[in-house]
Amino acid sequence: QVQLAESGGGLVQPGGSLRLSCAASGKMFGSYGMAWFRQGPGKDREFVSGIRWSDIFYAPAVEGRFVISRDDSKNTMYLQMNNLQPEDTAIYYCAARRGIAAPAFSDYDFWGQGTQVTVSS
């Protein structure tokens, strides 16, 4: 099995930046897709960004502001979040699956516990 652990969340002002990390352990493979999801207050969980090898996907709400990356030598995925806005406030979850980093959260097999990101002035 794969275990995932997010870190890097916190409180930032609008326009600020944060870098999230997701460390994977266990039976993790480079062919697995990895993704970030988020769930804001009173909202459903939504896809943020995903990566599998050279395939990268972004939700329209974050494209141009967020950058996903992955270091397979460290079994770690990152999400650089720039120009953060209040609507980005959410718990951010790391996920992995045996295939493409698709946007449907039901496709993912492994999940982290989440890290809180709060954007407020």
Side-chain angles (χ1 to χ4, degrees):
Q1 295 188 22
V2 175
Q3 295 81 46
L4 304 173
E6 305 94 336
S7 62
L11 174 65
V12 297
Q13 293 184 329
S17 298
L18 282 175
R19 190 192 192 200
L20 304 183
S21 298
C22 172
S25 60
K27 296 182 179 180
M28 184 68 185
F29 297 90
S31 61
Y32 283 13
M34 298 185 72
W36 292 97
F37 291 80
R38 68 185 183 186
Q39 187 166 14
K43 299 180 180 179
D44 294 329
R45 187 170 301 187
E46 64 177 347
F47 175 82
V48 177
S49 183
I51 183 169
R52 180 178 183 244
W53 295 327
S54 61
D55 295 327
I56 295 175
F57 307 90
Y58 293 103
V62 307
E63 190 165 15
R65 297 189 296 124
F66 292 7
V67 179
I68 191 170
S69 62
R70 182 173 174 178
D71 187 342
D72 288 336
S73 67
K74 298 180 179 179
N75 291 322
T76 302
M77 177 180 65
Y78 305 95
L79 185 67
Q80 178 66 46
M81 304 186 295
N82 302 310
N83 192 24
L84 285 161
Q85 301 300 313
E87 55 264 34
D88 296 316
T89 295
I91 300 174
Y92 283 72
Y93 297 92
C94 174
R97 63 164 297 188
R98 304 178 187 90
I100 190 171
F105 67 82
S106 61
D107 292 336
Y108 287 80
D109 305 297
F110 312 105
W111 292 86
Q113 294 300 306
T115 185
Q116 178 70 49
V117 172
T118 302
V119 185
S120 177
S121 60

